[in-house]
Each structure stands twice: as structure tokens, then as C-alpha cells.
Amino acid sequence: HLYLRDNQLTGLIPPEIGNLTNLWLLYLSNNQLTGVITESICDLTNLGVCYLQNNQLCPPYPSCIEEYVGEQDTSDCP
């Protein structure tokens, strides 16, 4: 489990997140994460719960996590 919600994190979700192959629960909501989510997140084949809402993540979103993206502030997206 990785709980990083409500921490004012900024920047991109690193592509190395896909290396956490045993990750089942990922909370990144309510931060200031920006940019595009890389396809490497789809390598998290054991992921059962994922919360990404309330960041500034830009579409298009990988189809494997599209249902978890929720509300995003896309005003700064290209």
C-alpha cells in the first residue's frame, strides 16, 4: 500500500511507479501532481484500489486507470 494523499506533492508521477509490481493500493489524490500519466502505471497488474483525483493530471489517461482519475484541474494542460 502507498498512501501519499494530501501531501502537496508536485511534479510528474514517475514512470518507475510501474516497477512496484506488488502494489495493491495507491492513494495520490489531493496533491498538485501535473503532466501526463505514463503507460508504465499499467504494469501495476495487482493494483486493486487507486485514487488520483484532485490533481492537475493531463489527458489522455492510460485506459488501465482511466476510471480512477476522477476530477482533475486540466486548465494548464496543452
Side-chain angles (χ1 to χ4, degrees):
H1 299 166
L2 183 60
Y3 291 95
L4 295 174
R5 67 180 186 197
D6 301 313
N7 280 295
Q8 299 180 356
L9 298 175
T10 61
L12 303 171
I13 297 174
E16 292 82 9
I17 195 135
N19 296 336
L20 303 174
T21 55
N22 291 322
L23 192 64
W24 185 79
L25 190 140
L26 176 63
Y27 278 88
L28 294 175
S29 57
N30 302 318
N31 283 295
Q32 297 162 17
L33 298 171
T34 58
V36 175
I37 304 169
T38 65
E39 286 289 330
S40 67
I41 202 163
C42 293
D43 294 337
L44 301 175
T45 55
N46 292 323
L47 192 63
V49 179
C50 180
Y51 291 101
L52 300 172
Q53 66 270 17
N54 297 321
N55 283 289
Q56 291 102 42
L57 298 167
C58 297
Y61 306 114
S63 59
C64 66
I65 54 105
E66 199 167 27
E67 66 185 88
Y68 303 120
V69 173
E71 283 286 318
Q72 299 293 322
D73 175 358
T74 58
S75 60
D76 288 332
C77 293

